[in-house]
Amino acid sequence: MELVWDGKALVGEGPAWDARDGTLLFVDIEGRTVYRLDPRTGAVDRWDVGDYVGAVVPRRAGGVVITLSDGFYHLDLATGRRHRLAAVEADRPENRFNDGKCDPQGRFWAGTLHLAERDPLGTLYCLEPDLTVRPVLSQVTISNGLGWSPDGSIMYFIDTAIRAVSAFDFDAETGAIRNRRPVIAIQEGGPDGMAVDQEGMVWVAHWGGSRISRFDPGTGRRLQAWHLPVSQVTSLTFGGKDWQDVYVTSARRGLGPDDLAREPAAGGLFHFRSDTPGLPTEPFAG
Ligand code: ZN
């Protein structure tokens, strides 16, 4: 486990590998910043976006798509300019976007939460390549996770408040989801971000649990765990040429001075190698 960026993010989140240039995109939600790490040099670029930024994904048409508190935005990494692609909950300033990810067809899925993170006032949305937005799941408390099985027939979703990974039958053609069921219960901390490997196993970041776990979603059993020197482990993604580089984000939020003295790397970005390759990051197709 290697600390590759000691940036002390408030809420590091949303890591996504950008295969176009071999870089790692991620965000600091409460630090209101988009980051890009070049693993070859260790150089990190940043874009201050001045608003809660929940997730970042590469965009096939160029640049990236991010979620801010009032919708989906295009961000031009060369100029730093951005414009809104679609308004979402623009009339609800007490809500913000949290985690998001693209499905194998390139639709961008991202969910919201109420800032108090107590009541199920959030919604999961899907941004279609034609830039229309549909709400797909209401009554979400802390929208997180997101991943698809290697054959694209199952979608995984995490509401951290429920402390479980849910699965849905996924219709690749229409993007419809149905038949929600819990497949993995989480004991240590709360489930936050997730990723899926090429064997179909589900990797989960434990918020407050200092680890990444690899589960078999067929049985709910844990197969492996990796410990981190920080408690607030937020999300992970696969990257690198062979999709065997694992990048893990973390947070400082919720930690007092004593905690931070014990875990000075909190908010950093970590890296380790996986024996099993992960599924590639899908760019937004629109
Ligand atoms: Zn998260």
Side-chain angles (χ1 to χ4, degrees), residues 219-249:
T219 62
R221 252 186 17 158
R222 173 157 47 200
L223 306 173
Q224 270 170 290
W226 292 264
H227 288 260
L228 286 99
V230 296
S231 51
Q232 316 292 52
V233 183
T234 53
S235 191
L236 76 152
T237 193
F238 292 95
K241 282 196 179 69
D242 54 9
W243 302 100
Q244 284 173 268
D245 287 311
V246 182
Y247 290 94
V248 183
T249 50

Side-chain angles (χ1 to χ4, degrees), residues 11-14 29 54 98-100 142-145 160 191-194 207 233-235 249:
V11 183
E13 264 285 4
I29 297 177
N98 204 39
D99 211 350
I142 304 175
S143 190
N144 260 311
T160 301
D192 196 334
M194 60 162 287
W207 172 268
V233 183
T234 53
S235 191
T249 50

Side-chain angles (χ1 to χ4, degrees), residues 2-59:
E2 173 199 6
L3 177 65
V4 288
W5 176 75
D6 190 13
K8 306 200 186 314
L10 293 172
V11 183
E13 264 285 4
W17 183 255
D18 193 337
R20 295 172 297 190
D21 58 358
T23 58
L24 193 268
L25 301 162
F26 61 104
V27 301
D28 180 348
I29 297 177
E30 294 189 0
R32 303 172 181 227
T33 306
V34 176
Y35 290 98
R36 179 177 63 192
L37 166 77
D38 184 341
R40 288 157 296 215
T41 62
V44 173
D45 298 313
R46 55 179 292 164
W47 292 264
D48 291 290
V49 292
D51 189 6
Y52 294 121
V53 52
V56 54
V57 295
R59 186 178 189 193

Side-chain angles (χ1 to χ4, degrees), residues 10-284:
L10 293 172
V11 183
E13 264 285 4
W17 183 255
D18 193 337
R20 295 172 297 190
D21 58 358
T23 58
L24 193 268
L25 301 162
F26 61 104
V27 301
D28 180 348
I29 297 177
E30 294 189 0
R32 303 172 181 227
T33 306
V34 176
Y35 290 98
R36 179 177 63 192
L37 166 77
D38 184 341
R40 288 157 296 215
T41 62
V44 173
D45 298 313
R46 55 179 292 164
W47 292 264
D48 291 290
V49 292
D51 189 6
Y52 294 121
V53 52
V56 54
V57 295
R59 186 178 189 193
R60 204 161 285 164
V64 299
V65 182
I66 58 175
T67 52
L68 298 180
S69 54
D70 63 352
F72 292 92
Y73 282 75
H74 174 84
L75 174 65
D76 183 328
L77 297 177
T79 64
R81 263 191 235 123
R82 65 172 190 261
H83 64 270
R84 193 160 70 184
L85 299 173
V88 176
E89 298 188 358
D91 56 339
R92 303 189 62 183
E94 73 288 0
N95 272 24
R96 69 158 171 85
F97 267 107
N98 204 39
D99 211 350
K101 207 153 300 165
C102 291
D103 70 22
Q105 286 70 39
R107 307 176 188 95
F108 186 9
W109 298 67
T112 59
L113 53 73
H114 185 265
L115 290 170
E117 299 185 12
R118 196 185 49 238
D119 299 312
L121 300 171
T123 301
L124 178 65
Y125 295 91
C126 177
L127 176 69
E128 301 283 353
D130 68 2
L131 304 183
T132 56
V133 178
R134 54 190 176 96
V136 277
L137 188 67
S138 59
Q139 292 194 298
V140 176
T141 304
I142 304 175
S143 190
N144 260 311
L146 290 173
W148 285 263
S149 60
D151 69 357
S153 69
I154 298 171
M155 183 177 100
Y156 298 105
F157 171 73
I158 290 171
D159 182 342
T160 301
I162 292 171
R163 297 172 69 94
V165 179
S166 298
F168 293 86
D169 297 335
F170 183 71
D171 185 330
E173 189 118 340
T174 63
I177 55 174
R178 52 177 286 276
N179 186 24
R180 183 180 186 172
R181 67 269 184 193
V183 287
I184 298 163
I186 297 295
Q187 313 295 341
E188 303 91 355
D192 196 334
M194 60 162 287
V196 182
D197 69 31
Q198 291 185 15
E199 294 174 359
M201 300 300 121
V202 167
W203 299 49
V204 178
H206 294 247
W207 172 268
S210 306
R211 79 198 72 194
I212 296 287
S213 297
R214 178 175 186 249
F215 293 94
D216 181 342
T219 62
R221 252 186 17 158
R222 173 157 47 200
L223 306 173
Q224 270 170 290
W226 292 264
H227 288 260
L228 286 99
V230 296
S231 51
Q232 316 292 52
V233 183
T234 53
S235 191
L236 76 152
T237 193
F238 292 95
K241 282 196 179 69
D242 54 9
W243 302 100
Q244 284 173 268
D245 287 311
V246 182
Y247 290 94
V248 183
T249 50
S250 69
R252 297 173 77 76
R253 195 183 121 180
L255 301 178
D258 291 350
D259 304 312
L260 291 171
R262 263 196 312 274
E263 38 180 295
L269 177 73
F270 296 85
H271 165 260
F272 63 96
R273 291 278 298 168
S274 163
D275 294 335
T276 316
L279 294 177
T281 300
E282 286 298 333
F284 177 60

